[in-house]
């Protein structure tokens, strides 16, 4: 997803279009009312924990501390997932605040005014601020098998990782349920009550949504779904390999439009670059478009070739979340929206 393209490509390049990674790299070449917003009810808030803490992450690295981490710093999307389980962080890095000052889509329900933002864009990470937070642990996702922590700058990672141990949660070449469970495991280790009614119900709703999508795909196998992402000069078509959402959709039976093997090879298997003149290369009945703030959203696309696409003319374009917030609460709507789109789609391709 992060366009963790091939090993020959830079991390920024990998981010490009439609994989799990952000297109940003390419484009850059309280009262009761607040209770649900800020971590939910008391039943879902993290319980106080004491004593030794240990967690084995997806790199196979086991982090051991004398006590449960209190000062947590995390990639924004990971922080948002932990927040849904009642675990709050001190600082974040990654897309957090939009240009108009609002919370980025990857910030979820967090109150970003209460967070120390160490970096809002690719390559940004304020090490001095990070050190000032006295971090106990750093948490991020990983879009490759090399253990690369997402949005931790390559050029300064050694300095950053010396200040506190790190935990990596893989979102590469696996289906959505696995990283969801891993994030839940991490939250539990940090004190989340994973048996609370709220969390149990959220997981049940996710499973129900998955079954709905499975049934929709089985009933409408003729409906072709294309995953796209837009930049000023390029339209990216994502393949179903590597991205946790598309791999899961495909496993549930969704008819995903796949770029040619030759085209995918150039991006390490993530996506195909198309000029806007060739945006109609692949037929699709439903288009799911990258919702990250670093990409151009459908309503702002002015290209005539885009407007002529059958799916666009039929109003069969919905948002795609290539970097899902890894909580059941946030991933359930993703499945429901796609299921609804397939259920109601007209065959236009």
């Amino acid at each position: 997803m992060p366009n963790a393209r091939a090993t020959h490509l830079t991390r920024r390049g990998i981010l490009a279009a439609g994989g799990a990674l952000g297109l940003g790299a390419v484009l850059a070449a309280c009262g009761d009312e607040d209770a649900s917003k800020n971590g939910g009810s008391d039943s879902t808030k993290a319980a106080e924990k004491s004593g030794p803490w240990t967690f084995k992450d997806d790199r196979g690295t086991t982090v051991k501390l004398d006590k449960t981490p209190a000062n947590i710093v995390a990639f924004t999307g990971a922080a948002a997932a932990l927040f849904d389980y009642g675990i709050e962080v001190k600082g974040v890095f990654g897309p957090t605040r939009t240009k108009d000052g609002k919370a980025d889509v990857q910030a979820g329900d967090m109150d970003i005014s209460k967070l120390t933002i160490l970096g809002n864009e690719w390559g940004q990470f304020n090490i001095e601020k990070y050190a000032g937070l006295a971090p106990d642990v750093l948490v991020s996702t990983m879009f490759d098998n090399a253990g690369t922590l997402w949005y931790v700058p390559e050029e300064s990672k050694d300095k950053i990782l010396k200040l506190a141990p790190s935990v990596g949660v893989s979102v590469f070449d696996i289906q959505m349920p696995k990283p969801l469970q891993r994030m839940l495991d991490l939250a539990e280790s940090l004190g989340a009550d994973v048996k609370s009614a709220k969390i149990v119900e959220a997981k049940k709703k996710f499973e129900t949504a998955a079954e709905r999508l499975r049934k929709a795909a089985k009933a409408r196998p003729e409906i072709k779904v294309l995953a796209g992402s837009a930049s000023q000069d390029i339209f990216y078509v994502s393949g179903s390999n590597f991205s946790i959402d598309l791999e899961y959709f495909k496993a549930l039976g969704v008819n995903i439009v796949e770029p040619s093997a030759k085209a995918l090879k150039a991006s390490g298997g993530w996506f195909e670059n198309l000029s806007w003149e060739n945006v109609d290369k692949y037929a699709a009945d439903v288009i799911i478009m990258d919702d990250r703030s670093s990409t151009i959203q459908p309503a702002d696309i002015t290209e005539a070739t885009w407007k002529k696409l059958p799916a666009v003319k039929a109003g069969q374009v919905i948002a795609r979340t290539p970097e899902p917030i890894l909580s059941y609460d946030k991933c359930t709507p993703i499945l429901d929206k796609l299921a609804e789109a397939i259920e109601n789609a007209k065959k236009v391709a």
Side-chain angles (χ1 to χ4, degrees):
M1 124 158 237
N3 297 340
R5 309 177 172 180
T7 54
H8 304 294
L9 301 182
T10 64
R11 288 180 70 206
R12 297 188 81 188
I14 285 179
L15 278 182
L21 314 187
L23 241 180
V26 171
L27 300 180
C30 307
D32 290 340
E33 181 177 347
D34 292 333
S36 60
K37 180 179 180 182
N38 295 322
S41 65
D42 291 341
S43 63
T44 62
K45 296 234 183 205
E48 290 294 329
K49 293 188 68 176
S50 60
W53 180 81
T54 181
F55 187 81
K56 186 175 182 179
D57 76 358
D58 292 338
R59 297 170 298 183
T61 299
T62 299
V63 179
K64 296 181 179 180
L65 298 174
D66 292 337
K67 60 181 181 179
T68 301
N71 294 341
I72 304 169
V73 173
F75 168 66
T76 303
L82 291 174
F83 184 85
D84 283 353
Y85 295 130
I87 306 297
E88 299 190 24
V89 306
K90 298 293 185 180
V92 295
F93 54 94
T96 306
R97 181 184 289 120
T98 61
K99 292 180 180 179
D100 59 4
K102 296 180 180 179
D104 188 274
V105 64
Q106 295 195 57
D109 293 333
M110 293 188 296
D111 182 348
I112 63 172
S113 69
K114 296 181 180 179
L115 297 171
T116 297
I117 301 175
L118 304 175
N120 197 60
E121 297 178 5
W122 184 260
Q124 294 180 349
F125 196 110
N126 190 312
I127 300 177
E128 289 187 8
K129 279 188 177 182
Y130 179 56
L133 292 174
D136 293 322
V137 68
L138 178 149
V139 179
S140 190
T141 49
M142 302 182 298
F143 285 98
D144 59 29
N145 283 328
T148 304
L149 296 173
W150 195 227
Y151 268 81
V152 173
E154 187 70 22
E155 60 275 14
S156 56
K157 69 175 184 180
D158 291 341
K159 293 181 180 179
I160 294 168
L161 298 180
K162 282 181 180 179
L163 296 173
S166 60
V167 168
V169 177
S170 178
V171 288
F172 174 71
D173 198 16
I174 51 179
Q175 295 174 24
M176 189 182 286
K178 186 172 182 178
L180 273 171
Q181 181 61 53
R182 291 295 287 145
M183 189 61 75
L184 185 64
D185 292 341
L186 176 59
E188 181 178 21
S189 77
L190 294 170
D193 178 8
V194 300
K195 295 182 179 179
S196 69
K198 181 178 180 180
I199 294 177
V200 170
E201 182 64 19
K203 188 172 183 179
K204 187 178 298 183
K205 287 182 177 179
F206 175 83
E207 294 168 348
T208 298
E211 184 58 28
R212 178 186 179 184
L213 180 55
R214 187 193 305 276
K215 289 180 178 179
K218 184 176 182 179
R220 304 294 307 280
E222 77 281 7
I223 298 300
K224 296 181 179 181
V225 177
L226 181 146
S229 188
S231 68
Q232 183 174 351
D233 301 314
I234 300 173
F235 183 80
Y236 302 89
V237 178
S238 295
S240 64
N241 293 329
F242 304 152
S243 300
I244 63 171
D245 62 332
L246 299 185
E247 283 203 17
Y248 192 42
F249 297 163
K250 187 175 182 179
L252 291 173
V254 176
N255 186 356
I256 302 289
V257 173
E258 301 283 1
S260 68
K262 181 178 180 181
L264 285 172
K265 187 176 181 180
S267 68
W270 287 97
F271 53 84
E272 177 177 359
N273 299 354
L274 295 177
S275 65
W276 284 104
E277 289 76 14
N278 295 314
V279 73
D280 61 351
K281 179 177 180 179
Y282 299 105
D285 301 292
V286 173
I287 300 176
I288 55 177
M289 288 292 290
D290 192 334
D291 68 355
R292 288 169 294 187
S293 57
S294 56
T295 68
I296 299 175
Q297 297 305 300
D300 299 318
I301 299 175
T302 59
E303 301 290 341
T305 48
W306 163 262
K307 294 181 178 180
K308 291 179 181 178
L309 293 178
V312 175
K313 292 172 68 175
Q316 295 176 175
V317 178
I318 64 171
R320 175 200 170 200
T321 305
E323 291 187 66
I325 292 172
L326 296 174
S327 73
Y328 292 104
D329 182 66
K330 294 298 184 294
C331 287
T332 295
I334 294 173
L335 303 182
D336 275 330
K337 289 177 183 177
L338 180 55
E340 181 180 16
I342 293 173
E343 290 165 353
N344 298 328
K346 297 178 181 178
K347 181 62 183 173
V348 295

